[in-house]
Amino acid sequence: MKNSKDIVATAQKVLSSIGAPVTVMGSINADLTVETERLPRPGETVIGGPVVTLPGGKSANQAVTCSLLGAKTKLIGALGNDSHGDLLLDSLNKAGVDTAGIRRCEEPSGSTMITVDAAGENTIVYSAGANALVNADFVREESQIITSAKILGLCLEAPLDAVEEAARIARDAGVQVVLNFSPITQVPESLLKLVDVLIVNQHELAVLGGREIDVTNLDELRKAVADLGFEQVVLTLGGSGSLVLDSGEVTRIPIFEVDTVDTTGAGDSFMGSLLSALAAGCSLSEGACLAAAVSSLATVRMGAQSSYWSAREVRDFLSQQTR
Ligand code: RIB
């Protein structure tokens, strides 16, 4: 494990280097969010607060993070011609994301139902809506947006044919491909072969590898990752931080201590930070140092995009850690 002084210094260095172009392809959702003391068990009704509609969607969240950190960021995706679509586009524009690759259509915008408990944990149910219209043809028509970037961010909220086509276009153009294996979906080998960097949590890794993996046993973890054919993997462990596996070397990066209110979108801000850092030529473990700070900070406010901090705020937070 790196010590906390090193992590802060590395995060500061990475943050100051961000600026290279990033493209994200995938989902944009209106998050219908309600806070409750505890999450309901199956069949149970619990009492919640008011329902709020917040801008979300894994890909949109990643793009917003990249742009707030200073990367030139473009997003490819689809929105409905509805009020959710207006809200979501507005949030992306305010964050400075280039939205020329976003199409409006007759389907309703993608949405989720999110429940957040008093400890900041959540449950999320996703309804694809317009996101389901992003197919391989759509991606091919926007291929220039992919080939003009240094790195492409993908997740599994978009249709698989679109994800695979985007990865293929990127790979052919020498653009690095990062896949967040979420939400868990059966994916073809042909897609996994196009991925340079995989971001997974423990549960997702077990599904991908077809068995439970003891992540405290680093030899077992290394073998599991090698068996999957990956050289570069980031395993996110929630409150326990992350493990970066890069060409057989394992680095543990802890989270930053903050007062957590809501973890929604924290993982997406982790990935957005990594995308921005890798595009700028930083190593995976260097990127994970910044990602640890950015994603920890994303838990102290409600929602996904509404919880993200600007580059200046992240810089101020990091400089306070060294005092
Ligand atoms: O990762 C959090 C995101 O997942 C939310 O914003 C929600 O839209 C779902 O896509």
Side-chain angles (χ1 to χ4, degrees):
M1 183 191 341
K2 284 178 175 259
N3 74 43
S4 57
K5 245 181 157 181
D6 281 353
I7 291 172
V8 170
T10 305
Q12 286 170 320
K13 188 191 86 178
V14 172
L15 184 56
S16 66
S17 72
I18 286 176
V22 175
T23 291
V24 183
M25 193 288 296
S27 59
I28 319 170
N29 303 330
D31 291 342
L32 309 183
T33 306
V34 62
E35 285 183 89
T36 170
E37 190 53 35
R38 62 175 180 78
L39 305 176
R41 285 184 282 264
E44 188 188 19
T45 302
V46 295
I47 294 175
V51 176
V52 287
T53 304
L54 299 170
K58 294 188 191 305
S59 307
N61 297 343
Q62 292 156 13
V64 164
T65 303
C66 295
S67 188
L68 290 176
L69 292 178
K72 290 180 203 73
T73 312
K74 297 179 180 175
L75 178 63
I76 301 172
L79 285 170
N81 267 318
D82 48 16
S83 59
H84 283 165
D86 295 341
L87 170 109
L88 293 164
L89 197 58
D90 188 49
S91 179
L92 291 162
N93 285 328
K94 278 195 179 127
V97 176
D98 181 330
T99 57
I102 294 176
R103 295 188 191 170
R104 305 294 292 262
C105 57
E106 291 314 310
E107 288 293 309
S109 296
S111 57
T112 61
M113 313 293 275
I114 301 186
T115 322
V116 181
D117 74 9
E121 285 306 327
N122 62 42
T123 61
I124 303 180
V125 179
Y126 166 57
S127 172
N131 295 313
L133 300 184
V134 181
N135 58 23
D137 285 341
F138 179 157
V139 169
R140 268 191 293 276
E141 281 157 23
E142 302 296 349
S143 61
Q144 204 271 328
I145 297 180
I146 297 173
T147 56
S148 61
K150 280 257 180 224
I151 198 161
L152 173 69
L154 298 167
C155 72
L156 299 176
E157 280 185 341
L160 281 181
D161 65 325
V163 175
E164 186 162 346
E165 188 60 18
R168 185 166 300 114
I169 290 166
R171 178 52 80 93
D172 289 348
V175 174
Q176 212 177 357
V177 178
V178 181
L179 174 71
N180 177 18
F181 191 73
S182 176
I184 291 175
T185 311
Q186 204 69 32
V187 297
E189 269 298 309
S190 51
L191 166 58
L192 294 178
K193 285 205 172 98
L194 297 168
V195 174
D196 296 300
V197 180
L198 180 73
I199 303 181
V200 279
N201 64 27
Q202 195 171 347
H203 185 50
E204 292 155 359
L205 184 63
V207 171
L208 248 185
R211 62 191 161 94
E212 282 306 322
I213 291 142
D214 175 6
V215 297
T216 61
N217 181 335
L218 295 188
D219 287 335
E220 187 180 335
L221 183 59
R222 270 194 209 95
K223 181 165 182 335
V225 164
D227 288 350
L228 285 169
F230 288 101
E231 289 239 313
Q232 294 191 300
V233 172
V234 180
L235 178 66
T236 55
L237 298 166
S240 303
S242 63
L243 286 173
V244 177
L245 290 96
D246 196 349
S247 310
E249 199 175 307
V250 185
T251 312
R252 178 181 290 279
I253 314 283
I255 59 163
F256 286 70
E257 290 301 326
V258 294
D259 292 328
T260 294
V261 169
D262 177 13
T263 56
T264 306
D268 304 327
S269 72
F270 188 98
M271 170 144 166
S273 309
L274 267 188
L275 288 170
S276 309
L278 292 173
C282 302
S283 72
L284 203 53
S285 64
E286 287 173 332
C289 292
L290 176 65
V294 171
S295 59
S296 298
L297 289 172
T299 70
V300 308
R301 299 177 187 149
M302 273 303 289
Q305 291 164 40
S306 52
S307 71
Y308 295 167
W309 294 40
S310 66
R312 187 184 49 77
E313 289 173 309
V314 175
R315 206 172 296 120
D316 290 349
F317 170 79
L318 288 170
S319 55
Q320 281 159 22
Q321 305 304 302
T322 51
R323 279 185 203 141

